[in-house]
Amino acid sequence: MTDRPSDPTRPADLWAAVDELWAWLETHGAHGGETGLVLRMLKLTEEVGEVAQAVIGATGQNPRKGVTHTWDDVGGELCDVVITALVALRTLTPDARQVFERHLAGVVARSPGPPAAPPLP
């Protein structure tokens, strides 16, 4: 693993951090090969479930439990989903950054963008 920045408030380079997390999981994971790949993909379902749990907790939807989370908790859980997805993508391909950036460019190109300005009178 690479050295961590001396300032823990300094954000890490996204793709370096993804590579570091991937390398650590590859070394310490209980399963490798196709089983490890499938389990890493399934981890996304767990993380998305935690987003749902946090939303339910932030809204107090469960009357038995009441309000148990904040919207900051929801944001943190969403970050966990993104991190897990990027590490899963890195597990699928060593070219994760290029695959992601190419896909993102395609999604952006398909988006409708801002609404057109109304015609002048």
Side-chain angles (χ1 to χ4, degrees), residues 22 25-26 29-41 91-92:
W22 170 81
L25 286 169
E26 289 294 303
H31 301 281
E34 188 171 310
T35 299
L37 174 66
V38 169
L39 291 172
R40 200 146 309 152
M41 302 303 153
T91 302
L92 191 63

PDB file of all heavy atoms in Angstrom, residues 22 25-26 29-41 91-92:
ATOM      1  N   TRP A  22      -8.281  -1.629  -3.502  1.00  0.00           N
ATOM      2  CA  TRP A  22      -8.329  -2.866  -4.275  1.00  0.00           C
ATOM      3  C   TRP A  22      -7.158  -3.788  -3.910  1.00  0.00           C
ATOM      4  O   TRP A  22      -7.357  -4.974  -3.654  1.00  0.00           O
ATOM      5  CB  TRP A  22      -8.312  -2.552  -5.777  1.00  0.00           C
ATOM      6  CG  TRP A  22      -8.115  -3.771  -6.601  1.00  0.00           C
ATOM      7  CD1 TRP A  22      -9.072  -4.684  -6.964  1.00  0.00           C
ATOM      8  CD2 TRP A  22      -6.889  -4.242  -7.140  1.00  0.00           C
ATOM      9  NE1 TRP A  22      -8.496  -5.692  -7.697  1.00  0.00           N
ATOM     10  CE2 TRP A  22      -7.160  -5.438  -7.825  1.00  0.00           C
ATOM     11  CE3 TRP A  22      -5.583  -3.766  -7.115  1.00  0.00           C
ATOM     12  CZ2 TRP A  22      -6.168  -6.171  -8.482  1.00  0.00           C
ATOM     13  CZ3 TRP A  22      -4.598  -4.489  -7.759  1.00  0.00           C
ATOM     14  CH2 TRP A  22      -4.891  -5.673  -8.428  1.00  0.00           C
ATOM     15  N   LEU A  25      -7.680  -5.320  -0.487  1.00  0.00           N
ATOM     16  CA  LEU A  25      -8.691  -6.380  -0.527  1.00  0.00           C
ATOM     17  C   LEU A  25      -8.167  -7.627  -1.228  1.00  0.00           C
ATOM     18  O   LEU A  25      -8.478  -8.750  -0.820  1.00  0.00           O
ATOM     19  CB  LEU A  25      -9.962  -5.879  -1.231  1.00  0.00           C
ATOM     20  CG  LEU A  25     -10.806  -4.910  -0.419  1.00  0.00           C
ATOM     21  CD1 LEU A  25     -11.866  -4.270  -1.304  1.00  0.00           C
ATOM     22  CD2 LEU A  25     -11.441  -5.601   0.778  1.00  0.00           C
ATOM     23  N   GLU A  26      -7.389  -7.449  -2.280  1.00  0.00           N
ATOM     24  CA  GLU A  26      -6.818  -8.595  -2.985  1.00  0.00           C
ATOM     25  C   GLU A  26      -5.891  -9.396  -2.074  1.00  0.00           C
ATOM     26  O   GLU A  26      -5.836 -10.615  -2.141  1.00  0.00           O
ATOM     27  CB  GLU A  26      -6.066  -8.137  -4.241  1.00  0.00           C
ATOM     28  CG  GLU A  26      -6.964  -7.650  -5.348  1.00  0.00           C
ATOM     29  CD  GLU A  26      -7.836  -8.757  -5.926  1.00  0.00           C
ATOM     30  OE1 GLU A  26      -7.297  -9.772  -6.389  1.00  0.00           O
ATOM     31  OE2 GLU A  26      -9.080  -8.581  -5.921  1.00  0.00           O
ATOM     32  N   GLY A  29      -8.496 -10.437   1.283  1.00  0.00           N
ATOM     33  CA  GLY A  29      -9.820 -11.008   1.068  1.00  0.00           C
ATOM     34  C   GLY A  29      -9.823 -12.511   1.290  1.00  0.00           C
ATOM     35  O   GLY A  29      -8.829 -13.199   1.051  1.00  0.00           O
ATOM     36  N   ALA A  30     -10.945 -13.016   1.742  1.00  0.00           N
ATOM     37  CA  ALA A  30     -11.071 -14.453   2.003  1.00  0.00           C
ATOM     38  C   ALA A  30     -11.191 -15.259   0.720  1.00  0.00           C
ATOM     39  O   ALA A  30     -10.888 -16.451   0.699  1.00  0.00           O
ATOM     40  CB  ALA A  30     -12.287 -14.715   2.895  1.00  0.00           C
ATOM     41  N   HIS A  31     -11.646 -14.618  -0.365  1.00  0.00           N
ATOM     42  CA  HIS A  31     -11.876 -15.328  -1.622  1.00  0.00           C
ATOM     43  C   HIS A  31     -11.230 -14.570  -2.766  1.00  0.00           C
ATOM     44  O   HIS A  31     -11.251 -13.354  -2.813  1.00  0.00           O
ATOM     45  CB  HIS A  31     -13.376 -15.462  -1.900  1.00  0.00           C
ATOM     46  CG  HIS A  31     -14.105 -16.199  -0.836  1.00  0.00           C
ATOM     47  ND1 HIS A  31     -14.104 -17.569  -0.739  1.00  0.00           N
ATOM     48  CD2 HIS A  31     -14.855 -15.761   0.203  1.00  0.00           C
ATOM     49  CE1 HIS A  31     -14.821 -17.944   0.295  1.00  0.00           C
ATOM     50  NE2 HIS A  31     -15.289 -16.858   0.895  1.00  0.00           N
ATOM     51  N   GLY A  32     -10.692 -15.315  -3.697  1.00  0.00           N
ATOM     52  CA  GLY A  32     -10.127 -14.723  -4.897  1.00  0.00           C
ATOM     53  C   GLY A  32     -10.842 -15.243  -6.123  1.00  0.00           C
ATOM     54  O   GLY A  32     -11.880 -15.906  -6.024  1.00  0.00           O
ATOM     55  N   GLY A  33     -10.283 -14.949  -7.267  1.00  0.00           N
ATOM     56  CA  GLY A  33     -10.831 -15.444  -8.515  1.00  0.00           C
ATOM     57  C   GLY A  33     -12.256 -14.980  -8.759  1.00  0.00           C
ATOM     58  O   GLY A  33     -12.669 -13.913  -8.323  1.00  0.00           O
ATOM     59  N   GLU A  34     -13.002 -15.829  -9.468  1.00  0.00           N
ATOM     60  CA  GLU A  34     -14.374 -15.468  -9.824  1.00  0.00           C
ATOM     61  C   GLU A  34     -15.265 -15.311  -8.600  1.00  0.00           C
ATOM     62  O   GLU A  34     -16.117 -14.422  -8.553  1.00  0.00           O
ATOM     63  CB  GLU A  34     -14.961 -16.517 -10.768  1.00  0.00           C
ATOM     64  CG  GLU A  34     -16.302 -16.105 -11.330  1.00  0.00           C
ATOM     65  CD  GLU A  34     -16.785 -17.040 -12.416  1.00  0.00           C
ATOM     66  OE1 GLU A  34     -15.997 -17.321 -13.348  1.00  0.00           O
ATOM     67  OE2 GLU A  34     -17.945 -17.474 -12.315  1.00  0.00           O
ATOM     68  N   THR A  35     -15.046 -16.138  -7.581  1.00  0.00           N
ATOM     69  CA  THR A  35     -15.851 -16.015  -6.355  1.00  0.00           C
ATOM     70  C   THR A  35     -15.611 -14.665  -5.705  1.00  0.00           C
ATOM     71  O   THR A  35     -16.562 -13.983  -5.296  1.00  0.00           O
ATOM     72  CB  THR A  35     -15.514 -17.151  -5.371  1.00  0.00           C
ATOM     73  OG1 THR A  35     -15.823 -18.394  -5.998  1.00  0.00           O
ATOM     74  CG2 THR A  35     -16.294 -17.012  -4.074  1.00  0.00           C
ATOM     75  N   GLY A  36     -14.363 -14.243  -5.607  1.00  0.00           N
ATOM     76  CA  GLY A  36     -14.051 -12.939  -5.035  1.00  0.00           C
ATOM     77  C   GLY A  36     -14.666 -11.814  -5.841  1.00  0.00           C
ATOM     78  O   GLY A  36     -15.183 -10.848  -5.273  1.00  0.00           O
ATOM     79  N   LEU A  37     -14.632 -11.939  -7.165  1.00  0.00           N
ATOM     80  CA  LEU A  37     -15.221 -10.925  -8.034  1.00  0.00           C
ATOM     81  C   LEU A  37     -16.730 -10.826  -7.794  1.00  0.00           C
ATOM     82  O   LEU A  37     -17.263  -9.737  -7.600  1.00  0.00           O
ATOM     83  CB  LEU A  37     -14.945 -11.275  -9.498  1.00  0.00           C
ATOM     84  CG  LEU A  37     -15.620 -10.399 -10.549  1.00  0.00           C
ATOM     85  CD1 LEU A  37     -15.089  -8.978 -10.496  1.00  0.00           C
ATOM     86  CD2 LEU A  37     -15.424 -10.992 -11.932  1.00  0.00           C
ATOM     87  N   VAL A  38     -17.408 -11.959  -7.772  1.00  0.00           N
ATOM     88  CA  VAL A  38     -18.859 -11.968  -7.553  1.00  0.00           C
ATOM     89  C   VAL A  38     -19.197 -11.396  -6.182  1.00  0.00           C
ATOM     90  O   VAL A  38     -20.118 -10.576  -6.046  1.00  0.00           O
ATOM     91  CB  VAL A  38     -19.422 -13.394  -7.721  1.00  0.00           C
ATOM     92  CG1 VAL A  38     -20.863 -13.480  -7.242  1.00  0.00           C
ATOM     93  CG2 VAL A  38     -19.311 -13.842  -9.173  1.00  0.00           C
ATOM     94  N   LEU A  39     -18.460 -11.780  -5.157  1.00  0.00           N
ATOM     95  CA  LEU A  39     -18.735 -11.263  -3.815  1.00  0.00           C
ATOM     96  C   LEU A  39     -18.504  -9.761  -3.733  1.00  0.00           C
ATOM     97  O   LEU A  39     -19.230  -9.048  -3.036  1.00  0.00           O
ATOM     98  CB  LEU A  39     -17.893 -12.004  -2.780  1.00  0.00           C
ATOM     99  CG  LEU A  39     -18.292 -13.471  -2.566  1.00  0.00           C
ATOM    100  CD1 LEU A  39     -17.276 -14.176  -1.676  1.00  0.00           C
ATOM    101  CD2 LEU A  39     -19.692 -13.566  -1.989  1.00  0.00           C
ATOM    102  N   ARG A  40     -17.501  -9.269  -4.459  1.00  0.00           N
ATOM    103  CA  ARG A  40     -17.245  -7.826  -4.454  1.00  0.00           C
ATOM    104  C   ARG A  40     -18.394  -7.084  -5.131  1.00  0.00           C
ATOM    105  O   ARG A  40     -18.768  -5.997  -4.706  1.00  0.00           O
ATOM    106  CB  ARG A  40     -15.914  -7.529  -5.135  1.00  0.00           C
ATOM    107  CG  ARG A  40     -15.408  -6.190  -4.721  1.00  0.00           C
ATOM    108  CD  ARG A  40     -13.921  -6.030  -4.609  1.00  0.00           C
ATOM    109  NE  ARG A  40     -13.223  -7.003  -3.823  1.00  0.00           N
ATOM    110  CZ  ARG A  40     -11.947  -7.343  -4.039  1.00  0.00           C
ATOM    111  NH1 ARG A  40     -11.277  -6.780  -5.018  1.00  0.00           N
ATOM    112  NH2 ARG A  40     -11.350  -8.234  -3.286  1.00  0.00           N
ATOM    113  N   MET A  41     -18.972  -7.669  -6.171  1.00  0.00           N
ATOM    114  CA  MET A  41     -20.133  -7.058  -6.823  1.00  0.00           C
ATOM    115  C   MET A  41     -21.334  -7.078  -5.878  1.00  0.00           C
ATOM    116  O   MET A  41     -22.088  -6.101  -5.773  1.00  0.00           O
ATOM    117  CB  MET A  41     -20.503  -7.784  -8.121  1.00  0.00           C
ATOM    118  CG  MET A  41     -19.425  -7.866  -9.162  1.00  0.00           C
ATOM    119  SD  MET A  41     -18.799  -6.272  -9.670  1.00  0.00           S
ATOM    120  CE  MET A  41     -17.156  -6.699 -10.184  1.00  0.00           C
ATOM    121  N   THR A  91     -11.765  -4.221  -9.654  1.00  0.00           N
ATOM    122  CA  THR A  91     -11.620  -5.675  -9.574  1.00  0.00           C
ATOM    123  C   THR A  91     -11.924  -6.309 -10.935  1.00  0.00           C
ATOM    124  O   THR A  91     -11.277  -7.275 -11.328  1.00  0.00           O
ATOM    125  CB  THR A  91     -12.567  -6.251  -8.501  1.00  0.00           C
ATOM    126  OG1 THR A  91     -12.257  -5.623  -7.247  1.00  0.00           O
ATOM    127  CG2 THR A  91     -12.428  -7.753  -8.355  1.00  0.00           C
ATOM    128  N   LEU A  92     -12.867  -5.730 -11.642  1.00  0.00           N
ATOM    129  CA  LEU A  92     -13.264  -6.243 -12.948  1.00  0.00           C
ATOM    130  C   LEU A  92     -12.223  -5.958 -14.014  1.00  0.00           C
ATOM    131  O   LEU A  92     -11.985  -6.780 -14.892  1.00  0.00           O
ATOM    132  CB  LEU A  92     -14.613  -5.629 -13.331  1.00  0.00           C
ATOM    133  CG  LEU A  92     -15.351  -6.197 -14.514  1.00  0.00           C
ATOM    134  CD1 LEU A  92     -15.723  -7.658 -14.263  1.00  0.00           C
ATOM    135  CD2 LEU A  92     -16.601  -5.374 -14.778  1.00  0.00           C
TER     136      LEU A  92
END
